[in-house]
Amino acid sequence: MTARRNFKNQVRARAARTGESYTSALRHFRPEAIAPEPRKVALAVAQTRVRTDPGDAEALRESGREVRALMRGAGRSGARIVHFPEGALCFPDKRVMSADGPGTVGPADWDRCRWAVLQEELTAVAALARELRLWTVIPSVHRLTGPNRPHNSLYVVSDRGEVVTRYDERLLSRTKGSYMYAPGSSPVTFDVDGMRFGCLLGMEIHYPELFAEYERLDVDCVLFSTSGTLGNTAAQAQGHAAVNSYWVGLAVPAGPSAATPSGIAGPDGDWLARCAEDGSPSVAVAVLDNGSEAAAEAVTYARPWRREVRAGLYTGRQVTDPRSGDRTAAF
């Protein structure tokens, strides 16, 4: 560990002396390193209050005002893209929506949703994204043609105020899948200033295969929005970032009972930025820089090496040996 620390200090010292990025300085010590093309994007993650009745027009409008206030805060902080939690505009409660009444969880009655008001708020969000020149990833219910249930979705709004793509939650919880939503069918990626992003939603942090899928799609960052999950959500986000060598944006609800604040984990699994720990609505901003120390070893070494191993690097090196085949051979 001491040798490792000394090596990192040498790289840091050279970077400070020459003005190079950490990755460029690293190549001075390890010429074989294949540094990625330099890219930087300032990402903001938000945490917002969650309101649960889509039939309450004033609550929808209040959510919209809060989202837009946080968008302005992200813009003032220099963000190029801002990412909101599931339920930022509304997270329809299963009992509020139940056609069988609040005492029983049953099929959702989506006629209770104030669709026109929700559309007004989303339109206002898109207009502000254009005004601020700020990419905005905003969760919402996406209405389908009746009698189909809606999707639980993430809209990706460009800095021109246009919806450029939409991610629909695929691996739904039991209640969502049984009573509320139609599942989505595919991953979604989009690019901002050369950085590629992927989207996940809801309970999907529990499915490492979805994060691995985005690694194969060559994303630089996965944006995960949730209204809350079982287990240690923060630790899971850090783990997915570290094992896939990319950034993870974690957007969760605000509130005094919030288990963890929203944040951005680097490709090494360490937190780069966190929202307010008191649960208040807020944004946190970090620069995703593939030449930074946080990314250097993960992006330059770990990710290419893992891909090489997964492609069958060791298949041709396996041996035929009785002491290999005999699992009870001792010592």
Side-chain angles (χ1 to χ4, degrees):
M1 291 297 292
T2 301
R4 185 72 182 149
R5 191 180 305 113
N6 290 339
F7 176 74
K8 285 190 172 183
N9 287 337
Q10 291 177 43
V11 179
R12 292 187 191 115
R14 177 179 172 84
R17 186 174 67 254
T18 63
E20 298 171 304
S21 69
Y22 186 92
T23 299
S24 296
L26 181 64
R27 293 188 69 187
H28 174 78
F29 297 93
R30 293 179 176 171
E32 76 280 7
I34 302 174
E37 179 184 350
R39 297 190 301 274
K40 292 183 182 180
V41 171
L43 168 67
V45 293
Q47 57 191 31
T48 61
R49 297 181 185 92
V50 172
R51 298 164 179 88
T52 59
D53 184 358
D56 186 337
E58 182 51 37
L60 290 174
R61 294 189 178 102
E62 181 60 28
S63 290
R65 287 191 287 269
E66 186 173 284
V67 163
R68 291 188 290 277
L70 291 173
M71 289 173 65
R72 293 186 181 95
R76 287 193 297 271
S77 297
R80 186 77 172 94
I81 176 171
V82 63
H83 164 219
F84 286 92
E86 182 183 30
L89 291 175
C90 184
F91 184 68
D93 183 87
K94 59 188 177 184
R95 297 187 183 276
V96 170
M97 299 303 294
S98 175
D100 297 334
T104 304
V105 178
D109 177 7
W110 286 103
D111 288 339
R112 297 179 179 180
C113 180
R114 298 291 295 272
W115 291 108
V117 177
L118 183 59
Q119 184 174 357
E120 288 172 7
E121 295 307 316
L122 287 167
T123 299
V125 166
L128 184 60
R130 180 177 62 251
E131 177 185 330
L132 298 175
R133 303 298 293 175
L134 178 68
W135 284 74
T136 302
V137 180
I138 180 76
S140 184
V141 179
H142 180 71
R143 194 176 191 179
L144 301 183
T145 305
N148 293 316
R149 296 172 181 166
H151 290 311
N152 187 38
S153 302
L154 278 170
Y155 290 111
V156 178
V157 182
S158 76
D159 59 354
R160 300 178 64 180
E162 300 168 345
V163 176
V164 295
T165 190
R166 188 192 73 247
Y167 177 73
D168 306 319
E169 186 181 3
R170 292 174 283 168
L171 302 186
L172 302 161
S173 69
R174 187 182 300 276
T175 297
K176 284 179 176 178
S178 299
Y179 301 116
M180 302 189 72
Y181 300 106
S185 59
S186 62
V188 162
T189 65
F190 65 97
D191 291 358
V192 178
D193 299 344
M195 283 278 193
R196 175 162 293 178
F197 294 83
C199 299
L200 291 173
L201 182 60
M203 303 294 287
E204 292 181 330
I205 200 166
H206 298 311
Y207 298 95
E209 62 271 26
L210 298 184
F211 287 84
E213 177 182 45
Y214 277 122
E215 193 281 334
R216 293 192 296 272
L217 291 173
D218 212 26
V219 305
D220 298 290
C221 178
V222 168
L223 303 176
F224 172 66
S225 298
T226 185
S227 63
T229 67
L230 298 173
N232 190 328
T233 305
Q236 292 179 81
Q238 289 178 280
H240 290 309
V243 301
N244 291 293
S245 300
Y246 53 45
W247 288 266
V248 171
L250 171 66
V252 301
S257 61
T260 185
S262 294
I264 301 166
D268 56 1
D270 290 339
W271 291 112
L272 301 178
R274 308 295 298 275
C275 284
E277 294 190 4
D278 62 3
S280 60
S282 58
V283 293
V285 180
V287 176
L288 313 189
D289 178 1
N290 68 353
S292 67
E293 182 175 346
E297 294 198 13
V299 173
T300 305
Y301 287 103
R303 192 169 184 176
W305 177 252
R306 289 170 186 159
R307 287 180 170 180
E308 198 173 343
V309 171
R310 287 172 178 142
L313 173 66
Y314 291 118
T315 302
R317 303 185 191 181
Q318 294 167 355
V319 299
T320 302
D321 186 304
R323 286 187 57 79
S324 173
D326 183 0
R327 303 294 179 186
T328 63
F331 317 119

